[in-house]
Structures are given as C-alpha cells and as structure tokens.
Amino acid sequence: MAKRTFSSFEIFLIFLLVMMTGITVALLSLLFITSGTIENHTGVPSTQSPPATQGSAAPQNSTPSRAPTTTQVSPTPSTPKTTLFQNFSGYHIGVGRADCTGQVSDINLMGFSKTGQYARGILTRLYSRAFILAEPDGSDRVVFVSIDIGMVSQRLRLEVLSRLQNKYGSLYRRDNVILSGTHTHSGPAGYFQYTTFVIASEGFSNRTFEYMVAGIVKSIEIAHTNMKPGKIFINKGTVDGAQINRSPTSYLWNPQSERARYSSNTDKEMVLLKMVDLNGEELGLISWFAIHPVSMRNTNHLVNSDNVGYASYLFEQEKNKGYLPGEGPYVAAFASSNLGDVSPNVLGPHCTNTGESCENANSSCPIGGASMCVAMGPGQDMFESTQIIGRKIYDKAKELYESASQEVTGPLASAHQWVNMTDVTVWLNSTHTAKTCKPALGYSFAAGTIDGFGTLNFTQGMTEGDSFWDSLRDQVLGKPSEEIKECHKPKPVLLHTGELLKPHPWHPDIVDVQIVTLGFLAITAIPGEFTTMSGRRLRQAVREEFEAYGMLNMTVVISGLCNVYTHYITTYEEYQAQRYEAASTIYGPHTLSAYIQLFRVLAKAIATDTVANLSSGPEPPFFEQLMSPLIPNIVDRAPAGTTFGDILLPANTTYRVGEVVEVTFVGANPKNSAENRTHQTFLTVEKYEATSATWQIIHNDASWETRFYWHKGLLGLSNATIQWHIPDTAQPGSYRIKYFGHSRKQDLLKPAVLLSFESSPSVFEVITTW
Ligand SMILES: *[C@@H]1O[C@H](CO)[C@@H](O)[C@H](O)[C@H]1NC(C)=O
Ligand SMILES: *[C@@H]1O[C@H](CO)[C@@H](O)[C@H](O)[C@H]1NC(C)=O
Ligand SMILES: *[C@@H]1O[C@H](CO)[C@@H](O)[C@H](O)[C@H]1NC(C)=O
Ligand SMILES: *[C@@H]1O[C@H](CO)[C@@H](O)[C@H](O)[C@H]1NC(C)=O
Ligand SMILES: *[C@@H]1O[C@H](CO)[C@@H](O)[C@H](O)[C@H]1NC(C)=O
Ligand SMILES: *[C@@H]1O[C@H](CO)[C@@H](O)[C@H](O)[C@H]1NC(C)=O
Ligand SMILES: *[C@@H]1O[C@H](CO)[C@@H](O)[C@H](O)[C@H]1NC(C)=O
Ligand SMILES: *[C@@H]1O[C@H](CO)[C@@H](O)[C@H](O)[C@H]1NC(C)=O
Ligand SMILES: *[C@@H]1O[C@H](CO)[C@@H](O)[C@H](O)[C@H]1NC(C)=O
Ligand SMILES: *[C@@H]1O[C@H](CO)[C@@H](O)[C@H](O)[C@H]1NC(C)=O
Ligand SMILES: *[C@@H]1O[C@H](CO)[C@@H](O)[C@H](O)[C@H]1NC(C)=O
C-alpha cells in the first residue's frame, strides 16, 4: 500500500482519538474492574404461552390481576371484561399519551453520533403515544406504542415489559406489545445498555431512562383505562415532495427487473388507521410513512420531535381544541417505517463550499471531501424545513383521515421470538446456505451521511480499509478475527463489535422479531432501519407467506426502530456498494434474507394458528453496572444578590406579530427537572384576559412557537433564555412569560435536594402590524 502522509489536522484528530480512546478505556476499566456481570432480567415475562389466535378457543391463561402498585391510575380490573360490549364488528380501543422527554441538558442527542452535540434546552416535548386494541369480547389484545425518541433500546423494552407485568400480569407481553421509536435525532441519548451506544451516549443516564420508562408505561396505563368499543378505518395514499433517497447509487445496485416494478426509489405511501368510538367520536390515528426525522441538523441543541413530531402536533392541536400541546384526549401518532435510505432534505446534497451537487457514489466534494457534502431541506433554516416537511405529512394524513372508509375487521393475533441474530442460517436456494455474522461496523459507518457527516473525513462507499486506522484499532481494541472479516466481505471491518465484550457486549446478539395482525392488517416490528428496497422485499415475502396459508390480500406495514436497535438493514445488492447504510448493516450481507426467513416463520404461525408452538428463543440479557454519565451533577448557583428565576434581560415593552420576544433569566440546570417534576414545563406564555382579570396560559414548552435555551456557565452558574415567536394569529393585548425550574442544592453532610422555583413574570404588549 502506498505510503501515506498526514496533514497536521489529521495528526491532531488522530491524537485526539487516541486520547479519547485511552480515557474511555481507562474509565471503563476503572468502573468495571469488578464486573463483567451479565444478569438475566428476571422480571420479564418469558415463556408464557402466546395468545390464542384466529379466534381459536384456547383459554386465555392470564393470571389474575395483581393489585396495581400505585393508586394514581384508577385500579381498573386487569382481567378482560368479557361481559361488556359483545356485539359489534370493531374492537375495544384505548389511546393514551404521556411525556417521556428525559433530560434536556448535559446529555448527547441520539442519532447523529456527533461528539459535543449536547442538549441545551427544548423546542418541543417528546411523547409516548399508546394504542391498545382488543377484540370485542375482550379476549386478545395488542398494544402499539410510538415514541418520540431515536429508537427503542432493548433495555427500555425489557424494563417496560417488566413493569407492565408487575401491574397487569400477563395481559401485556413480549408478543403483543410493540414499542417503536419515531427516530427523531433530537431526543436525549443515554438509555442503552450495549457498549457502542453507551459510548455514543457518553454514559448511561438513569435519570433519562427512568423518565422514558415511566412515560411509556403511563401512556399504556392511560390507554388501558379509557378503552371503549370503537371502529378502525384504514386508508392509504402517497405523500409527494417530502423525501429523497440519500443513497440512490446503492439503490441502483438492486436488479433492474425489481426496480422496474416501482416508480420511485423511496416508498411514498402512507398507511393510516383512523379510530373512532361507536358514537363516531374521534379517538386517534396511527400513520406509517418512511422518512428520516432529520430536518433538524446535527448543529441543533434543542430537544424536539422533528418533522413527524410536528405532524403529530398539528393534528392533535386541531382535534384537541382548547387544550395546550401535549394535553387533550385525542392522540395522533406518526410512526416510523422503512426509512433507512430516506432523507427529508429534499434539495439534495451540495458542496457547502462551492455549491455544486455532490450526488455521487462517495457523497464527496472535489474540494474538501465528504465533510463538505450536505443535503439541505426546503426551508430557510432547519426550523422552517422541519415545519414544511411536517406539514406535508400532516396534510396528506388529514386528507386520508377524512376520507377513510374501509373498516378493519377480524381477529387479533401476535407472534414474537427472540433470535440470536449472529447465528442464523439463511437458505439461498434449495441447495445452498449462508450465515449471518457477528456484529461489525464498516469503514463507511464513520463517514456518516449527507444528513450529517462523520467527524473523521471518511467517505462512503469504502470497500477497502486503511492500514493506519486498522493498526490503530488493533492496538486499542485488539485484532478482529479472520472469521469476522471474511463473513462481512466486501465490508472492510472498522469495529468488530461482535468480538468486543468488555465491559459489556458492544452490540446485541439477541434481537426481537414480531408481527401483530388485526384482521387483514399485519404490523411487522423491525429492530432497526430497513432501506426502501429491504422494506419492499419483506412486505412482499410476509404477504406471500400469509397467502400461502390462506390469509389473502394482507396489508403489511413496516414499523421501524422497534424493540431493540441494530442500526441498518440493506439488501444484499446494496450491501456490495458499502455506503453508510451498508457499512451499518451489522450482521453482514445476508441480514435481510435472515429477517425475511424469520418473519415468514411468524406469519406462518399466525396464519396456521400455531403461535403457541413458537419457541420464545434465547432471552436477552439485562446488564448491571453500566457506565455513569461523564458530566457530574453539581450544585446550581445564582450570581451574588440574585436568585433563580430573576430576570436578567426583560422583554421589550411592545412587539408586533411575527417578531420574537426574548427574556433571559438566572437559570438552573434543566436536567434537575427530569428528577423533581414539581413543574412540568420550563415556560409559559400567558395572556391577560380583561373580562376575567386573569392570566391565561396560551403556550407551554411543548409548543412549536416557543424555544427554551439554556446557557451553561462555570461552577454551576447558568442563564435561561426563553423565546416566543409570535404567530400571525396572536391577538393584541398584554402578555407575560414565566420560567420554571428546579435547582440543585446541597448542604454540608446532607444529600442533595432539587428545589422548584418559579420566575417573576416578564410583561409586554403585542400590537397588530398597523
Ligand atoms: C348482534 O347484532 C345483530 C345485528 O346488529 C343481531 O342480529 C344479533 O342478534 C345480535 N346478537 C346478539 C347475541 O345480541
Ligand atoms: C435509577 O433511578 C430510580 C428512580 O429514581 C432508582 O430507584 C434506582 O435506584 C436508580 N438506579 C440506579 C442504578 O441508580
Ligand atoms: C478530507 O479528505 C479530502 C479528500 O478526500 C481532502 O480534500 C480534505 O482536505 C480532507 N478534509 C480535512 C478536513 O482533512
Ligand atoms: C449467539 O450465538 C453465538 C454463536 O452460536 C454464540 O457464540 C453466542 O454466545 C450467542 N449469544 C448469546 C447471547 O447467546
Ligand atoms: C444456489 O445458489 C448458489 C450460490 O448462489 C449457486 O451457486 C447455485 O447454482 C444455486 N443453485 C440453484 C439450484 O439455483
Ligand atoms: C468511492 O466509491 C466507490 C464505489 O462506488 C469505491 O470503489 C471507491 O473506493 C470509493 N472511493 C473512496 C475514496 O472511498
Ligand atoms: C385487497 O385489499 C385492498 C385494501 O388493502 C382492497 O382495496 C382490495 O379491494 C382488496 N382486494 C381483494 C381482491 O380483496
Ligand atoms: C403444536 O403444539 C400442540 C400442543 O403442544 C401439538 O399438539 C401440535 O401438534 C403442534 N403443532 C405443530 C404444527 O407443531
Ligand atoms: C427588543 O429586545 C431585543 C432583545 O431581546 C433587542 O435586541 C432589540 O433591540 C429590542 N428592540 C427594541 C425596539 O427595543
Ligand atoms: C448571563 O447573562 C448575563 C447578563 O446577560 C451575562 O453577563 C452573563 O455572562 C450570562 N452568563 C452566562 C453563564 O451565560
Ligand atoms: C421537589 O421540589 C419540591 C418543591 O420545591 C420539594 O418540596 C421537594 O423536596 C423536592 N423533591 C426532591 C426529591 O428534591
């Protein structure tokens, strides 16, 4: 190999990397010197027989309900009410939404893996949206939960299942509960147990994990308590102008004959379920549409739910008239699908230095390389792009919702297995087999994508490694085995995560495969990000399998980012091109074929009513002693003579609509508010109502019109800045902005306490433009 020289910048980066790796390893070994413990998570329902399917008469063996552990939610009997509502064609439907934001400071945002992309405030809250659907006689039920987070982690799911079991016995189980992340890249990290993600999160944050688990469970509890008989209608339609394929050259590796069957290199179809009760009162909706929620860039530091979250917001605000965002009974979920290669940055990739297109196999610019090649959204800035794309999705959903007329009827069923994904034998044809691999990430993983490039100037499409990085890796992490290198070809292995086990495995071996069906609708729960063509192949295979066993004309939807995160899944052909998505297909070239085979088994079991015969498979581990976050908790301080919430920079006296109000306060670390939740919002915008002589809250921190920025100072000092982008619809009058927080205080020899505070109001007038 030709001798290579390094620029001083590269040498600096290398030095930095070595230092960081050294520090990480030192910290890890310090923290884990005693451990390596892998403990089975005992609380998880593991081997209960799955529910009867297809209306078979198998008895529901649910253990009698245990008394709920809290009294917060009214203790509804958890055994199905078999006597009520027996004679109607639909389902029992329950919907629920709960806050699951976690901490909005001192934690990485999950998605871009960009060092230093810490949360520094909030644009919108994150919600868990739960839907419970049960048969009219109350026997079988399924739960679908869409959560405004990057992805569901295995730890999150295991903990949620364990708490559901404690509260409801065997009503909600591994087979009938689907947890799906919307894939926003602007939610907090820190809720993972596999080392790759723990490092990317810079630790495991119990604070955020607890907050998310509690929110998810609460959304299910709310849905559970408000179940009532209703009907589900399905509709489908295409959303135009919201997506591009971000690896179009990989897509072209798929066979011409296959591509010829589709009019686009992304899936434009939205599938939507509309839920109403028997009086026609609207309850909620679930829609699935394939799009990466990365309209917000890797330069963003405000926690938010991105484009699909904005679509939820618009729909819920419209249906929950008179409620603040995040409140009100109507629940609208915009769930993820086969979005692996789908970007919302529809203006496409351009070189930020020269402006020319960099739509090439390496997404690389002639001057400056890959780090100059960035895809832009349609708006002036990322906030506007998010709203433009979100509104397109919302508009189509609204149209489909209003015209939905085909009712979903038929029995409910669910099938689930845990699979050791490192060890699946794939039948290529009747005579030849291949194997999946132990997990590994390829070189192009480090390149990132046109939606957010990697820090180290790698390019996509690398089919050969680099001796420098190889030897650096060998020194720090050890050599990958010949077996793993061979198995992943043509991927050059950058990180052999499947062979890295300290302090805990770096990637999961055990993954979930799961299908639930409602009549002719099948929802496949995918543990990662399928590309467009991967999704098409899986849908077709599952549909054919159902058909082969007598379930004709099934509608199959891909539900993405479910249950456990395993990065990407490309087709075998796309894998050969080794762009980012292929380099991140961690179980090797035959990953998709393995999933197709596994999902066929589930489909067949449902169609032949033999779900009870499926083995549960190997139970995933639940690790103890995860690395704590590197950022310490320190006491908050206010400058001398001030206190938390004092106004540093007040609002001006008057504003016109369209202007931005800004107020700065003496702040405290907002992560405290993820532990002590005396206040549930960081801000309110209030309007004076002369008739009642009261201040009415018109916005909270879940509103897209408000932004809460936190500026971290030294030694516990900080400022909080609240913005209100005054909408054109604002009425003239008197307004005020308030800030709410919690400060950490610690007296000598006493445990820390987190005390709530409320700012003084900053008052101003809004006048019309003329
Ligand atoms: C169910 O409803 C149908 C009409 O909607 C009626 O014909 C039938 O008798 C009802 N069955 C029972 C058991 O109430
Ligand atoms: C995580 O937080 C919960 C609730 O605050 C607490 O009960 C638990 O002990 C914490 N776990 C660890 C490992 O700190
Ligand atoms: C990245 O690599 C390209 C060549 O691939 C080079 O032109 C560019 O200067 C490099 N950028 C940095 C920041 O090292
Ligand atoms: C998965 O299978 C591989 C190969 O058989 C085995 O080495 C590994 O221990 C298994 N993983 C788990 C978590 O059981
Ligand atoms: C099965 O696949 C292998 C490998 O792709 C190929 O060599 C063989 O010819 C195929 N056999 C049949 C019967 O198609
Ligand atoms: C660019 O992509 C091609 C595959 O399309 C690959 O052969 C080549 O090595 C890549 N170039 C670089 C610099 O990574
Ligand atoms: C198949 O289902 C679709 C809706 O998913 C429906 O429009 C179509 O009429 C059905 N076709 C047949 C043959 O039942
Ligand atoms: C499923 O299990 C039942 C009871 O264990 C058994 O009688 C039946 O033969 C099995 N069916 C299949 C298809 O394996
Ligand atoms: C209003 O306040 C902003 C700071 O929030 C300041 O930059 C601006 O100059 C003020 N405008 C007027 C008219 O006072
Ligand atoms: C807080 O705001 C004050 C006044 O605007 C400013 O002097 C100070 O530097 C700010 N401190 C931080 C930590 O941002
Ligand atoms: C939370 O805040 C309230 C109000 O300031 C306070 O009474 C309570 O002790 C705090 N809880 C904790 C755990 O610090």
Side-chain angles (χ1 to χ4, degrees), residues 392-430:
K392 276 183 197 287
I393 297 169
Y394 158 83
D395 282 343
K396 179 52 74 172
K398 191 172 176 201
E399 182 193 320
L400 294 176
Y401 185 86
E402 278 164 6
S403 60
S405 62
Q406 188 187 10
E407 191 178 351
V408 179
T409 56
L412 299 177
S414 56
H416 170 273
Q417 282 186 308
W418 284 306
V419 179
N420 186 338
M421 201 58 197
T422 72
D423 192 23
V424 179
T425 300
V426 179
W427 284 92
L428 299 175
N429 56 34
S430 57

Side-chain angles (χ1 to χ4, degrees), residues 650-652 654-655 660-663:
N652 300 348
T654 52
Y655 293 88
V660 180
V661 187
E662 191 171 293
V663 191

Side-chain angles (χ1 to χ4, degrees), residues 236 406 553 555:
K236 299 169 192 168
Q406 188 187 10
N553 201 20
T555 293

Side-chain angles (χ1 to χ4, degrees), residues 584-631:
S584 308
T585 298
I586 59 173
Y587 302 107
H590 300 289
T591 307
L592 174 63
S593 308
Y595 278 123
I596 287 177
Q597 209 168 282
L598 293 162
F599 276 93
R600 275 184 185 272
V601 170
L602 300 181
K604 180 180 171 185
I606 289 175
T608 57
D609 198 4
T610 54
V611 171
N613 296 47
L614 287 175
S615 73
S616 64
E619 199 171 320
F622 191 88
F623 303 128
E624 302 297 336
Q625 299 183 329
L626 298 168
M627 186 178 93
S628 300
L630 301 179
I631 301 176

